[in-house]
Every structure is written in structure tokens, then in C-alpha cells.
Amino acid sequence: CLQDITKHSMHTLVFRSLKRTHDMFISDQAAPVPNNEAASKLSHSVKAVSEYGPVLHMAKDKKKTAKISAASTNGTHSKKKFTLLFNLQAKPMIIALLLINQIKFFFNPCESKLHPNPFRKKKHLASNVNVNPSDIQRLHETNKALLAVNSRPIAPRKAQIMPKPRWHAPWKLYRVISGHLGWVRCVAFEPGNEWFVTGSNDRTIKIWDLASGKLKLSLTGHISSVRGLAVSDRNPYLFSCGEDKMVKCWDLEQNKVVRHYHGHLSACYALDLHPTIDVLVTCGRDSSARVWDMRTKANIMTLSGHTNTVADVKCQAALPEVITASHDCTVRLWDLAAGKTRSCLTNHKKSIRSIAMHPTQYTFASGAPDNIKQWKFPDGDFIQNMSGHNAIVNCLALSSDGVLVSGADNGTVHLWDWRTGYNFQRTKAPVQPGSLDSESGVFAMCFDKSESRLVTCEADKTIKIYKEDDEASEESHPVNWKPEIVRKKRF
């Protein structure tokens, strides 16, 4: 019996199903949907309130005006208009509407010019309408003001000119420190400004004396590249993270690891400490930023929302407490209390690898290959672009003196005036002897606590320290600046 069933192709079965469906609904295929009057009335009222709410009263007043004008039948058409205009019993809104909507009355259609004196019969009108001459005089002055505004010439708006940038002394290289056996990837300063710490691809963390540049201590424990470092201001702790997914807390009194923070699913690329509470925030290649309790090692919160690697994270005491930059071309501002994104900035077109916070102002910068952008807290309002560093910007550093420094993958370092976005210096340090010219990338940079030294971490396995040129002056190094039109582009 089963063998007698005809087997049809899928194509035939589908078209048979379509035909059955068509035959079922062919009777009311073109029939209109029945109109629900109650729903239509409700929809119209909601739309009127939502879109025309501020001016609904004007329509009602206009209807009242029409009723009043229909009721007044004495005199000619012009006398009706003026009678309504000077009727003190009419509401002020009616007078305003007539001044606006009936302004054509003051034009003579034959001569195409303003009526020489529309109030020349005001005494006669006053006697007819029973109004005070002072009120007529006041409306006469209002009419003069309207005519003066209409006849005023429109001045062309001048383009905004970029203000002259403040003079900054040029920075020069004065020390090169060697000691790491791989790319130097991160740097951090201790609160007393006596030493700084660097992490490298050779899996070690080295502590250097800032004054002499000599090595003080080497810490080993990571099994892959060290990508992030932070020194606590309130505790004798050093925090590090790396591509081995590990986040470690080092006790600097014992020089050993005292805590591990487990949770990242992939390489950890950056970390930062909250300035007022014992909280640590890390980010990495698992597209998330994780908030850790410094003491209990608990993963308090996972800030998820990015769709690609989170390259940098910064913390601050004010809202928003956490700022993250990602390779998905967005910057996110996070509210820790709510545990969610406060604002998502999508202006960049390329991967964002670094962000820098202004020490004193309520602003920050983000660096990407397309632009360096300035933003304003708390909602991330765009301020301006800093264009010209045509390379992959790996790192940013910002001082309270208004100097922004950007380091790129090709070894170039650009210095900018923060207020105007003017690029006042470009430099590229020579690579270490024995290295290739291609090994000239700048991976991290940081100002010391006094902001008189700038430390850069580079691909030629060296640490370079810059300082301001004390002999430079505004006469010897003038600002090569020309007034130009500001072009602030959002994209």
C-alpha cells in the first residue's frame, strides 16, 4: 500500500501549499481593514498632544478669533480687522495672533510696499471701539519694532578661528634604559615618584630608580607577556596583568604575589585602580571589563557590551567611574552603581587602543588611527579632533599643563596643545644599536608624578625618558601657527 503513494518533489509540494493558501484567502484578499473609530480618535488625540502640544492652545484661540470676526458685522473689512485688533476685551493671545497672522494687512497689494501709516485714523477707531489712545500708541510702537526687525540687513556669520595655542617648551630625549629582553609593553609610577615599574614580553616586571635609571628589582611569575601595571596609592601593592589571563597582586614589602584574580577567559590587556575605593578594573580580549574586590578577590561585576577586544580602561572618582576603549571602535562610559553603560561613543572609525584622562579638567582623550578625539564628561560630549598622527596610535599621556603626547606603532611621538589641538612637536627617537629600524614602535608612555619627565616603552626593548628643554624659549622655538578656520568633524 505504501508503495502506491506517489512521491512528489519538494518544489511541487511547496507550490501546492501556496495554491491552497491562496484559494483559502482569495475571497477577502482586497478587502480593506475595518476602521475602528474609537482607536482612530485615540490615535489622533495622542498624536496631537505629542507633536503639537505646545501650540494646541493657539488653534483654539484662532477658532475663537474667527467666531468674534464673524459676529462683528459693522463697517468695512479693514474696520473689522482694526476693531478686533484694538478690542481690549479680546485676549492678549488673540492680539498676538492677529499681529502675526494678519501681517499681510499692512501691505498694499497694489503698490507692493508697506502702508505709510496704518494708524492714521486711530482717533476715529478709538471712538468706535472704545479703547484708550495709550493702548493704540503702544500697538503702534510694536508695529514699528516689527517693521524695523524685518528691514534689518542680515550680517554674514564669520567662521570660527582657532585661537592661538599656548607656547610649550619642546621635549628632548635625555636617557635610554636597557634591560628587558623583549618589547616593553607597560609602565607605572609609584606615588612617591622615586621609582617606576615596567612590564615586558620577556614575562618579567622590573622596578627602576627614576633619578639614576638603575635597576632595583625584577619580579617573575607571569608565564606570558605583561600588558598592564598599576601601583596603589593607599596600599603597598603592585597589580599586574598579562596575556596569560592572570591578574596578580604583589606585596612590595615581601616582593611576592599575595593574591590572584581568576575570571578572564582570554588575554588581559590593561588594568586600573579606583582612586577612592578598593576596587580593581581589568579588561582584555574577552570583550569585557571586570571589576574585582581588591581584598576578597571576588569578581564583583562584569561590564559587558563591547563586541571586540577591550584595549584600555581608566577609572575616576566622579561619574562615570569607568571608561573603556575597544577595538570595536567605541568608547563606553560606565556607571558602577547601576552596573551598566552610561554612554557609548561611536565617533571613531578605527580600533581605539588608548585613552587618557586630564588630571584637573573633566575631560579625556581617545586615540585611534583615524583621529585623536577630545571628549567632555559626564556624557561624552565631543569637543574636537586632533588630526595629523597618521599611524596606529598605541598610547596617550596627558599632563595638567595641557600637553598631550601620543605614541604610535612606527615609533613617532607627537606632542599637542590640549586647548587648541595644535601639534607643536614631532619626534622619533633612534632605535637601540643592533635593532632593526622596524623595531621602533611605542607601546606605552606615562608622565611621572611631577610631570617633568615622560617615560616611553618601545619595541627596541628600551625605556626612553624625555624632559623639557630648559634652554628653549618662545623666541628660539616660536609657535609656527597660522589662523585657520576650525573644522570640528564628528566623524
Side-chain angles (χ1 to χ4, degrees), residues 343-476:
S343 182
C344 181
L345 314 178
T346 59
N347 299 40
H348 280 287
K349 296 180 180 178
K350 299 289 182 68
S351 299
I352 307 164
R353 300 200 178 194
S354 180
I355 47 181
M357 315 271 288
H358 198 286
T360 55
Q361 297 180 11
Y362 202 36
T363 54
F364 74 102
S366 60
D370 57 348
N371 265 318
I372 299 170
K373 295 181 183 290
Q374 284 186 24
W375 312 91
K376 183 181 179 182
F377 289 123
D379 298 320
D381 299 324
F382 176 77
I383 300 176
Q384 67 177 346
N385 281 329
M386 295 179 171
S387 304
H389 205 163
N390 301 319
I392 299 174
V393 178
N394 283 328
C395 51
L396 296 173
L398 184 54
S399 72
S400 57
D401 194 38
V403 176
L404 175 71
V405 190
S406 58
D409 227 23
N410 58 1
T412 56
V413 175
H414 287 201
L415 291 93
W416 312 78
D417 177 55
W418 176 254
R419 186 173 67 92
T420 61
Y422 172 70
N423 183 202
F424 68 88
Q425 187 182 355
R426 301 183 181 187
T427 182
K428 181 178 180 180
V431 298
Q432 188 181 25
S435 300
L436 300 173
D437 287 337
S438 58
E439 292 183 319
S440 58
V442 181
F443 291 120
M445 58 173 52
C446 184
F447 284 101
D448 70 344
K449 297 299 180 181
S450 67
E451 296 181 346
S452 61
R453 301 289 184 272
L454 174 69
V455 176
T456 62
C457 304
E458 308 210 1
D460 60 355
K461 307 171 189 176
T462 63
I463 302 157
K464 295 183 172 68
I465 305 180
Y466 294 81
K467 68 175 182 179
E468 286 185 334
D469 189 353
D470 299 330
E471 299 175 356
S473 63
E474 193 167 357
E475 290 76 20
S476 61

Side-chain angles (χ1 to χ4, degrees), residues 13 272 312 367 381 467:
L13 293 174
D272 199 16
D312 201 4
D381 299 324
K467 68 175 182 179

